[in-house]
Amino acid sequence: MKVVAFERSLQGTGASRRLRNSGKTPAIVYGATGEPQLIELDHNALFHALKKEAFHSSILDLEIAGKNEPVLLRDVQYHPWKQIILHVDFQRVDPSKKLHTKVPLHFMNQETSKAVKFGGAVLTHVMNEVEIACLPSNLPEFIEVDLAEVEIGKSLHVKDLQLPHGVELAQHLEQENPVFLSVTVPAGVVAEESDAAAAPAEGAAPAA
C-alpha cells in the first residue's frame, strides 16, 4: 500500500494544531540507518486508510519528496472523542533484519465447525492477533486458522498455529504458549442434553 507524505520543518503544539486545522496530520518516520524525519499526511486519506486491516499489518510504501521507502505503521494517536487522528508513527524497514510485529488472525469455517454445528459449542477468541518475527519479505498480511475440525473442550494455543514459511512466534509467546481460542459448551446446552437423556422414552412402561 502506498502512502504519500510531505516533509515538515515546524514542530510543537501550535504548529501541529495549525497543521490539523488545514486538514493535515503530523507524523514521524524513524529507524534503520536514517535520522527521524518529521512528515505530514492528508488527514482524510489517512483516516480511510486506517480502516483497512492491511494498513496496520503490511509493509507500506512511503513516498516523501519523490523518494520511496518501506515502513511499518507503529503507532496512531486519536482524539479522545472526535474522529481526528492526532499523530502517526512509522518505522523504516531494513530488508536484512527481522521484524517484530503483530498480525491479525483470520478464523475460517467458524459457522460450519463440527463443534458449533453439531455440539452447540461457543468459540471464544482469546486473541485476535499474534506477535511474530520474520524478515520483511516473509511478512504475512494475516494468519489463517481453520476451525472446521476443532473439538469441544479443547483450547488452541499459539504453538498450534500453522505459521507461513520464514515466520516464527515472538520469543515470549514461544515460551509462554498462551491460549488464543477456547471451545466450550454453554451450561444451558449441557443441562438440556442431560434432561433429554434422563427423560424416559415416550410410551415406555414405568419401572416396576
Side-chain angles (χ1 to χ4, degrees):
M1 298 181 69
K2 188 169 185 176
V3 183
V4 178
F6 304 91
E7 295 174 305
R8 65 183 173 99
S9 56
L10 299 177
Q11 57 181 314
T13 304
S16 295
R17 187 185 302 113
R18 288 190 294 274
L19 204 60
R20 296 186 192 103
N21 289 339
S22 66
K24 304 290 184 181
T25 298
I28 189 170
V29 56
Y30 61 87
T33 57
E35 293 293 322
Q37 184 176 8
L38 300 177
I39 57 174
E40 61 185 62
L41 302 95
D42 179 81
H43 180 273
N44 289 341
L46 177 63
F47 186 84
H48 290 295
L50 285 167
K51 293 182 179 181
K52 300 176 182 178
E53 182 183 72
F55 195 80
H56 297 259
S57 58
S58 301
I59 294 176
L60 307 172
D61 184 20
L62 182 66
E63 179 185 321
I64 309 171
K67 295 182 180 180
N68 295 61
E69 56 184 343
V71 299
L72 275 177
L73 177 67
R74 280 307 192 190
D75 187 54
V76 183
Q77 297 174 27
Y78 293 94
H79 190 279
W81 64 87
K82 296 179 182 178
Q83 290 191 322
I84 297 175
I85 304 159
L86 299 178
H87 195 274
V88 181
D89 291 7
F90 295 102
Q91 181 183 358
R92 296 185 186 95
V93 171
D94 185 334
S96 64
K97 293 184 179 180
K98 280 188 176 182
L99 296 171
H100 293 265
T101 189
K102 293 181 179 180
V103 295
L105 298 175
H106 280 196
F107 297 96
M108 315 299 291
N109 300 314
Q110 295 189 87
E111 300 303 322
T112 56
S113 166
K114 291 180 179 179
V116 173
K117 196 170 183 179
F118 303 113
V122 173
L123 307 180
T124 303
H125 299 176
V126 181
M127 299 167 61
N128 288 306
E129 59 183 11
V130 65
E131 189 174 351
I132 61 166
C134 65
L135 289 173
S137 58
N138 292 328
L139 179 64
E141 187 176 320
F142 54 82
I143 295 173
E144 282 192 0
V145 184
D146 189 353
L147 302 177
E149 302 296 328
V150 72
E151 298 178 13
I152 293 175
K154 290 291 184 71
S155 293
L156 299 184
H157 296 255
V158 292
K159 286 187 179 181
D160 297 322
L161 290 168
Q162 298 296 314
L163 299 177
H165 172 73
V167 176
E168 59 190 36
L169 294 170
Q171 187 174 9
H172 69 97
L173 293 181
E174 185 72 33
Q175 294 171 347
E176 298 166 9
N177 195 25
V179 170
F180 71 87
L181 181 131
S182 62
V183 187
T184 56
V185 178
V189 175
V190 174
E192 288 175 9
E193 291 178 350
S194 299
D195 292 343
E202 186 177 344

